[in-house]
Amino acid sequence: MDMCNTVKHGCEYQCVNIPGSYYCICPEGQLLQEDSKTCGTCKSANIDLVLLIDGSKSVRPQNFELVKKFVNQVVDSLDVSAHGTRVGLVQYSSRVRTEFPLNMYHTAEDIKAAVMKVDYMEKGTMTGLALKHMLENSFSEAEGARPASRNIPRVGLVFTDGRSQDDISEYAKKAKEAGVTMYAVGVGKAVEDELREIASEPVEKHFYYTTDFSAINTIAENFKLNVCPAESQGEVAMKDPCACENLVEFQQATINSLDQLTQKHILY
């Protein structure tokens, strides 16, 4: 029986028939994701990412546009999809506003278009309040975070240009205790001690600083959020997608699993 033309296989790229069953394959350079149907640049690209961007008055309108471009450069480095990476955006000043939650957009193009439409808030810098909002709201299942039982890494990225006007210690600590991997990116008058307190260990891999807004695109170019299975053991590491030392082993394991599926005629 031609299963690929008989059932709704859902394969993103191509369905392959085997006796009594089928499986999905991906084009060269992409790998099959955990749902066994969709394709991505890296098997381990599944993360829930929430970006917290500083919209305080000191940022200034022209620089806020650069911040939005920075966000979109980060998005370009991700494998965005409903089953892959999900992205949420929060802006904060004297208050906190969810620009869009994790479950709103499922393509990089939709996310980038929404980012460019974000209006600049101005006023103060309540980074502590933003961290609280991220932990209690942005990473809730109601806003699109995958259940903790699925072990999808949760990642928070804070972008700020100055000292916080409230305490950051409590919720920076709580976020990391809750398993959120935190990155801190500072520019201009951002306080290094605060950024280091926000960043996960090892701090050197989760903390970035530049003196000038015009240089943040350089940070974005080197800013790759990716989870490499055996190498990082669930931690999020700064590296090129799929540049894991164990990638060859992982591909071989995938081939072996495929062989087992063929032999057992398991229908996915």
Side-chain angles (χ1 to χ4, degrees):
M1 182 181 292
D2 184 352
M3 298 293 290
C4 290
N5 288 321
T6 305
V7 301
K8 293 183 179 180
H9 53 76
C11 296
E12 180 180 324
Y13 178 68
Q14 186 175 335
C15 176
V16 177
N17 283 299
I18 57 176
S21 186
Y22 68 89
Y23 61 88
C24 302
I25 62 171
C26 293
E28 184 177 354
Q30 295 191 36
L31 293 172
L32 202 63
Q33 301 298 293
E34 286 186 355
D35 63 354
S36 299
K37 298 179 185 297
T38 57
C39 302
T41 53
C42 187
K43 175 75 175 184
S44 55
N46 299 13
I47 61 173
D48 285 342
L49 170 66
V50 175
L51 298 110
L52 306 179
I53 58 172
D54 185 348
S56 61
K57 187 176 182 180
S58 59
V59 172
R60 297 186 303 204
Q62 64 270 32
N63 288 333
F64 190 71
E65 293 304 308
L66 294 177
V67 174
K68 292 195 289 186
K69 290 180 180 179
F70 167 83
V71 169
N72 282 349
Q73 280 184 274
V74 172
V75 171
D76 277 333
S77 72
L78 303 172
D79 181 24
V80 178
S81 71
H83 296 290
T85 288
R86 295 183 182 182
V87 179
L89 181 65
V90 173
Q91 183 183 175
Y92 69 95
S93 57
S94 299
R95 57 190 179 89
V96 181
R97 182 173 73 203
T98 296
E99 300 296 351
F100 53 84
L102 286 164
N103 57 0
M104 182 167 285
Y105 301 112
H106 300 308
T107 69
E109 291 307 312
D110 286 346
I111 290 171
K112 292 194 293 181
V115 168
M116 295 313 294
K117 293 177 182 177
V118 169
D119 292 325
Y120 176 41
M121 292 174 74
E122 298 193 56
K123 298 191 178 179
T125 310
M126 303 292 279
T127 310
L129 187 64
L131 290 168
K132 181 177 187 290
H133 180 91
M134 176 198 73
L135 186 60
E136 295 181 352
N137 298 286
S138 301
F139 282 121
S140 66
E141 289 183 38
E143 293 205 3
R146 267 77 64 97
S149 60
R150 291 188 56 188
N151 294 319
I152 302 294
R154 295 180 175 183
V155 182
L157 189 159
V158 177
F159 186 103
T160 184
D161 85 320
R163 180 183 293 277
S164 177
Q165 294 173 324
D166 62 352
D167 178 66
I168 66 160
S169 301
E170 180 182 359
Y171 280 93
K173 181 180 179 182
K174 284 185 175 179
K176 287 177 280 190
E177 288 175 345
V180 180
T181 300
M182 295 298 303
Y183 289 88
V185 178
V187 64
K189 296 181 180 179
V191 180
E192 183 175 342
D193 288 347
E194 286 190 355
L195 296 171
R196 288 182 172 275
E197 189 168 359
I198 291 169
S200 290
E201 295 288 344
V203 171
E204 288 68 26
K205 289 187 177 182
H206 298 86
F207 157 72
Y208 287 81
Y209 175 79
T210 180
T211 56
D212 192 274
F213 273 93
S214 62
I216 62 175
N217 66 312
T218 305
I219 293 178
E221 287 171 3
N222 297 309
F223 200 93
K224 307 297 181 187
L225 294 168
N226 183 50
V227 184
C228 297
E231 185 174 306
S232 61
Q233 297 178 340
E235 277 294 313
V236 174
M238 294 289 192
K239 57 190 71 187
D240 292 331
C242 295
C244 310
E245 291 179 0
N246 64 322
L247 181 56
V248 174
E249 295 177 12
F250 180 73
Q251 288 175 326
Q252 186 59 52
T254 303
I255 293 170
N256 291 340
S257 296
L258 216 58
D259 288 342
Q260 291 173 13
L261 288 177
T262 303
Q263 292 166 12
K264 294 180 181 179
H265 307 316
I266 297 175
L267 176 61
Y268 273 81

